[in-house]
Amino acid sequence: RENFIHLCNPHLEKMKEDILYHFALGTGTHDFPALFGDVKFVCVGGSPSRMKSFIAYIAEELGFASPGGDYPNICAGTDRYAMYKVGPVLSVSHGMGIPSISIMLHELIKLLHHAKCSNITIIRIGTSGGIGLEPGSVVITRQSVDATFKPQFEQVILGKTVIRSTNLDEQLARELMQCSKEINQFNTVIGNTMCTLDFYEGQGRLDGAICLYNEEEKLQYLKEAYDSGVRNIEMESSVFAAMCNLSGVKGAVVCVTLLNRLEGDQISSSHDVLVEYQQRPQKLVGYFIKKSLGKV
């Protein structure tokens, strides 16, 4: 059964051309079905360099790699986002925070619609701060919750507050968990992910330029988060989940934890250790894609 992207915007049908400004792509200048029609998996992450390394990794895993082969940035006409493609896999950077990933997702969802893609799975792979987990643990998100632990994304539209659901696809989460068990290389859990509006005060850190609370208050808040089911903290999952839900797309968030926030605020692991940690979501999602394509 073909499941196509659901666009919640009737105005798009009246437009002669749709310019995806932040991708430097447009329906009047590019053949979207020819460029992207075979895409089945989209992986998104904050860093352009990390998403380029992911496409090189998945090309090797799927047997698409060629000796000395390079992977051109499809969005080279802009410096906002980077996009790479190998076979049925699209790899896109989204920057940091809800506003940045939101802009990217609006244009990505329209791109997939214009390309007539069907049965799409979108997975965010990234880094996060863990709560009560050893650094290097991977968290598959059950629900994205806000800073008050509610599973919702709140946005002001035309002066009115709109609240949207942030549940993620349960079956997809279970499939990813099964893949991690089969790989058996690192600790993986399914848990809630808290999505905050900033990296410092919003996540209860003591090391920002501004901090008007004490360590005891910080630890009490993080323990309340843990007791509510939160296992990690990042800054993009809520709007990601909300937009996947509205577009009828299967979505998942897979993030590695770089530290245990109950034990500190600063990321102090060596560069080599952090690089290995950051490869864990790539390995898990890469294995999932290979398995989905019958290549395992």
Side-chain angles (χ1 to χ4, degrees), residues 43-141:
C43 296
V44 303
S47 158
S49 62
R50 199 183 304 153
M51 299 322 291
K52 184 169 186 178
S53 69
F54 174 74
I55 208 68
Y57 172 75
I58 202 69
E60 192 75 36
E61 290 293 295
L62 296 181
F64 289 115
S66 56
D70 191 24
Y71 305 95
N73 177 10
I74 297 169
C75 297
T78 176
D79 60 359
R80 296 296 183 185
Y81 304 105
M83 180 186 294
Y84 306 95
K85 182 181 181 298
V86 163
V89 182
L90 199 63
S91 176
V92 192
S93 70
H94 60 59
M96 281 200 297
I98 287 171
S100 185
I101 192 174
S102 170
I103 294 166
M104 187 281 290
L105 286 172
H106 273 281
E107 299 189 13
L108 172 65
I109 290 165
K110 292 197 296 177
L111 179 154
L112 296 170
H113 171 75
H114 293 316
K116 298 179 170 57
C117 294
S118 64
N119 303 330
I120 292 289
T121 298
I122 304 181
I123 303 177
R124 164 166 146 69
I125 53 177
T127 59
S128 62
I131 303 182
L133 295 174
E134 284 295 309
S137 298
V138 171
V139 179
I140 301 166
T141 304

Side-chain angles (χ1 to χ4, degrees), residues 12 14 27 39 49 56 64 70 76 78 83 86 94-95 104 107 111 120 136 185 189 199 220 224 236 239 264 269 273:
L12 292 174
K14 303 170 187 174
T27 55
V39 169
S49 62
F64 289 115
D70 191 24
T78 176
M83 180 186 294
V86 163
H94 60 59
M104 187 281 290
E107 299 189 13
L111 179 154
I120 292 289
Q185 293 182 17
V189 301
F199 185 80
Q220 181 181 348
E224 287 175 3
E236 293 86 20
V239 71
S269 298
V273 169

Side-chain angles (χ1 to χ4, degrees), residues 11-237:
H11 305 289
L12 292 174
E13 296 177 7
K14 303 170 187 174
M15 294 168 51
K16 292 182 179 178
E17 180 182 5
D18 190 5
I19 297 171
L20 309 186
Y21 172 72
H22 301 90
F23 284 167
L25 298 171
T27 55
T29 53
H30 296 79
D31 186 340
F32 281 51
L35 288 170
F36 306 107
D38 61 338
V39 169
K40 296 296 178 185
F41 304 94
V42 184
C43 296
V44 303
S47 158
S49 62
R50 199 183 304 153
M51 299 322 291
K52 184 169 186 178
S53 69
F54 174 74
I55 208 68
Y57 172 75
I58 202 69
E60 192 75 36
E61 290 293 295
L62 296 181
F64 289 115
S66 56
D70 191 24
Y71 305 95
N73 177 10
I74 297 169
C75 297
T78 176
D79 60 359
R80 296 296 183 185
Y81 304 105
M83 180 186 294
Y84 306 95
K85 182 181 181 298
V86 163
V89 182
L90 199 63
S91 176
V92 192
S93 70
H94 60 59
M96 281 200 297
I98 287 171
S100 185
I101 192 174
S102 170
I103 294 166
M104 187 281 290
L105 286 172
H106 273 281
E107 299 189 13
L108 172 65
I109 290 165
K110 292 197 296 177
L111 179 154
L112 296 170
H113 171 75
H114 293 316
K116 298 179 170 57
C117 294
S118 64
N119 303 330
I120 292 289
T121 298
I122 304 181
I123 303 177
R124 164 166 146 69
I125 53 177
T127 59
S128 62
I131 303 182
L133 295 174
E134 284 295 309
S137 298
V138 171
V139 179
I140 301 166
T141 304
R142 176 184 290 111
Q143 290 180 319
S144 176
V145 301
D146 64 17
T148 64
F149 319 139
K150 294 176 183 175
Q152 63 183 37
F153 171 63
E154 185 176 305
Q155 185 175 9
V156 176
I157 302 172
L158 300 183
K160 297 177 182 178
T161 299
V162 176
I163 293 175
R164 290 170 174 164
S165 168
T166 54
N167 291 332
L168 286 153
D169 192 278
E170 291 183 22
Q171 182 183 345
L172 179 55
R174 287 195 298 269
E175 290 174 5
L176 286 162
M177 188 69 193
Q178 179 59 35
C179 286
S180 183
K181 290 177 181 176
E182 292 173 18
I183 295 173
N184 195 28
Q185 293 182 17
F186 39 78
N187 180 47
T188 303
V189 301
I190 294 178
N192 290 349
T193 295
M194 182 162 69
C195 184
T196 65
L197 299 179
D198 87 309
F199 185 80
Y200 287 98
E201 290 180 285
Q203 296 188 11
R205 277 184 162 84
L206 301 172
D207 59 343
I210 299 167
C211 180
L212 303 177
Y213 45 84
N214 60 38
E215 185 169 9
E216 184 180 348
E217 291 170 318
K218 165 207 158 177
L219 288 174
Q220 181 181 348
Y221 175 68
L222 293 180
K223 287 173 181 174
E224 287 175 3
Y226 183 88
D227 291 341
S228 75
V230 172
R231 293 297 176 266
N232 65 334
I233 312 172
E234 47 85 92
M235 298 185 291
E236 293 86 20
S237 59

